[in-house]
Amino acid sequence: MSEAGRRVLVGRIVGLYGVQGWLKIESWTDPRTRIFDYRNWWLGAEGDAGRAVTGCVGRVQGKGLVAKMPGIEDRDQAESLVGLDIFVDRSALPLPGKDEYYWVDLEGLEVVTTEGVGLGRVSHLFATGANDVVVVKDGTRERLIPFVQGEFVRSVDISGGRMVVDWDPEF
């Protein structure tokens, strides 16, 4: 899918707030309130972000976030949205800085060692306290490689679809 048509998961509707149609949301943006900077949201389940919503407003409420969507005026209408994921168009995200990447752009890259040994493709990434970790799968095996540029990750070529790592293929 071209970048123009790609959507990125940025949050989820997790509950109801009040009786006037407000929704509790979970945001995976950094900072978490950045989710409100995106004017166009797509609501749906993973892989099926089909309902466009424009003009949401939101705020911090206690320790969480709440959002109000146009056309949702009461708790009953809002209840039908609980559990849906919130996506934005990939093209709406700001350009990453030098040597910075969106995880979504790394997913699917071919991963090879500095010696040219294929390890598989990036399945997904996850954060740890120390660093992010790249999960590489080759159909039979899964490898967890620290995403530490220079030490383990030697190069990333998004347009070429390849990541080169300094990693023992047997590990």
Side-chain angles (χ1 to χ4, degrees):
M1 181 180 285
S2 70
E3 182 175 306
R6 290 175 63 199
R7 296 190 180 129
V8 178
L9 180 64
V10 295
R12 179 171 292 130
I13 300 170
V14 294
L16 303 171
Y17 178 77
V19 295
Q20 296 180 342
W22 284 80
L23 295 153
K24 293 179 184 178
I25 65 167
E26 184 175 356
S27 171
W28 299 306
T29 62
D30 185 24
R32 67 188 181 132
T33 55
R34 180 165 287 151
I35 196 169
F36 300 124
D37 293 345
Y38 301 110
R39 303 310 311 151
N40 300 313
W41 289 0
W42 295 89
L43 303 180
E46 184 71 42
D48 181 33
R51 178 179 174 183
V53 178
T54 302
C56 296
V57 295
R59 67 176 189 260
V60 174
Q61 180 64 45
K63 293 183 179 180
L65 300 176
V66 295
K68 181 79 165 89
M69 298 186 189
I72 305 298
E73 302 303 325
D74 62 40
R75 191 174 180 89
D76 291 335
Q77 290 176 314
E79 189 170 26
S80 68
L81 302 177
V82 173
L84 294 180
D85 291 327
I86 303 168
F87 298 84
V88 297
D89 291 325
R90 169 61 181 89
S91 59
L93 299 176
L95 293 175
K98 181 175 174 19
D99 295 326
E100 293 181 340
Y101 307 96
Y102 287 110
W103 287 5
V104 70
D105 294 337
L106 298 175
E107 293 171 356
L109 292 183
E110 174 190 19
V111 180
V112 298
T113 67
T114 52
E115 291 80 30
V117 177
L119 299 179
R121 295 198 172 271
V122 175
S123 168
H124 61 282
L125 293 94
F126 63 89
T128 68
N131 52 263
D132 297 335
V133 174
V134 180
V135 179
V136 179
K137 293 184 179 181
D138 70 359
T140 60
R141 188 165 179 190
E142 179 179 277
R143 292 178 178 86
L144 305 178
I145 302 173
F147 191 81
V148 179
Q149 295 185 74
E151 185 175 352
F152 300 114
V153 177
R154 294 300 175 94
S155 67
V156 175
D157 180 2
I158 299 291
S159 61
R162 178 178 269 204
M163 178 187 299
V164 177
V165 297
D166 187 358
W167 197 254
D168 181 350
E170 300 303 315
F171 188 68

